């Protein structure tokens, strides 16, 4: 494996603990009050694409501007005040660097949110590439476009890249890109179908061990 492509939310930081609560209790009831939408349907999507999806599938009760404003305000609070980094993250990234393995952060979140995380946890310079789905004019997860783009940026075939993801949409996107997918199961997502993944892990230690084994 030549590169590891890390999702941010739910993998590098435990933000899904907070996003799941916000989506279930606040934004989805406000946006689609007459529909029972499972949070898993939209997890892994860019928040602007989430609005498009809800509008197309259910019809929305609030404007796009109001929807995006609530997401952006919540994001700044979550990333600045609440999230914690994955246990052992700095050591894992340093070991991959020592092995000459390219490291990319690949997220559906915009660069503004990514930058908060990188600065807060002193991760600036820890990744060879920092990629937001907003960098490309293509469909978001579960479509494979963002991981195909990331593979081209790191200069490796997707088949020689490891994708680390926590959501159904993200796992499917990585699998459809042809990458080796490591699914990180987290409590915030409950019982998701992660079967398209090549490996499923349940703890930071198991995630680190699996990624390092695959890059030996």
């Amino acid at each position: 494996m030549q590169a590891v492509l890390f999702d941010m939310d739910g993998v590098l930081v435990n933000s899904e603990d907070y996003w799941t609560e916000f989506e279930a209790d606040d934004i989805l009831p406000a946006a689609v009050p007459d529909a029972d939408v499972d949070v898993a349907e939209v997890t892994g999507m860019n928040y602007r694409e989430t609005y498009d999806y809800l509008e197309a599938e259910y019809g929305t009760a609030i404007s796009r501007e109001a929807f995006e404003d609530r997401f952006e305000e919540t994001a700044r609070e979550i990333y600045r005040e609440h999230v914690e980094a994955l246990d052992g993250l700095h050591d894992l990234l340093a070991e991959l660097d020592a092995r000459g393995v390219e490291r990319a952060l690949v997220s559906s979140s915009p660069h503004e949110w990514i930058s908060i995380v990188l600065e807060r946890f002193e991760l600036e310079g820890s990744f060879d590439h920092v990629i937001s789905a907003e960098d490309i004019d293509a469909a978001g997860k579960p479509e494979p476009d963002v991981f195909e783009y990331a593979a081209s940026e790191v200069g490796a075939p997707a088949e020689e890249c490891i994708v680390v993801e926590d959501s159904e949409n993200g796992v499917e996107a990585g699998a459809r890109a042809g990458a080796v997918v490591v699914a990180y199961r987290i409590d915030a997502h409950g019982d998701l179908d992660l079967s398209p993944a090549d490996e499923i892990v349940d703890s930071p230690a198991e995630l680190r061990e699996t990624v390092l084994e695959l890059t030996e």
Side-chain angles (χ1 to χ4, degrees):
M1 296 292 107
Q2 296 187 37
V4 184
L5 315 179
F6 291 93
D7 179 41
M8 183 176 79
D9 293 289
V11 176
L12 300 182
V13 292
N14 64 337
S15 49
E16 293 295 4
D17 294 349
Y18 304 97
W19 279 125
T20 299
E21 181 179 355
F22 166 70
E23 289 167 348
D25 297 343
D26 186 343
I27 197 65
L28 290 178
V32 285
D34 299 324
D36 183 17
V37 181
D38 191 327
V39 171
E41 286 186 49
V42 298
T43 300
M45 292 183 182
N46 174 277
Y47 71 117
R48 296 188 175 99
E49 288 189 327
T50 297
Y51 186 87
D52 294 337
Y53 173 83
L54 295 174
E55 174 65 24
E57 293 294 321
Y58 304 101
T60 52
I62 61 175
S63 69
R64 176 184 294 276
E65 181 180 10
F67 183 90
E68 292 183 1
D69 284 348
R70 288 168 82 161
F71 253 95
E72 290 162 3
E73 180 181 354
T74 300
R76 295 184 186 103
E77 178 182 344
I78 287 173
Y79 296 121
R80 287 174 178 162
E81 301 178 19
H82 297 299
V83 299
E84 297 177 354
L86 179 77
D87 286 346
L89 176 58
H90 288 87
D91 289 342
L92 172 57
L93 294 174
E95 178 63 28
L96 292 173
D97 184 29
R99 296 182 179 191
V101 177
E102 292 277 305
R103 299 150 330 278
L105 189 164
V106 185
S107 177
S108 294
S109 292
H111 278 289
E112 179 192 352
W113 305 357
I114 296 170
S115 294
I116 295 172
V117 170
L118 293 178
E119 180 177 355
R120 182 177 171 199
F121 296 106
E122 300 181 349
L123 292 166
E124 294 156 310
S126 295
F127 295 94
D128 299 296
H129 306 272
V130 176
I131 297 165
S132 165
E134 295 190 335
D135 293 338
I136 60 174
D137 183 17
K141 305 168 188 177
E143 298 300 321
D145 303 65
V146 69
F147 288 123
E148 293 173 344
Y149 174 79
S152 69
E153 286 293 289
V154 302
E159 295 80 6
E160 296 179 17
C161 296
I162 299 167
V163 164
V164 184
E165 268 282 359
D166 65 297
S167 70
E168 283 188 19
N169 286 327
V171 166
E172 182 178 347
R176 291 173 65 182
V180 174
V181 180
V182 176
Y184 180 36
R185 195 193 306 277
I186 60 174
D187 292 340
H189 288 330
D191 188 21
L192 297 186
D193 177 13
L194 302 175
S195 58
D198 298 279
E199 303 281 349
I200 300 175
V201 299
D202 297 291
S203 70
E206 191 178 0
L207 172 58
R208 180 179 185 276
E209 180 182 354
T210 300
V211 169
L212 292 179
E213 283 181 355
L214 290 170
T215 56
E216 283 181 341

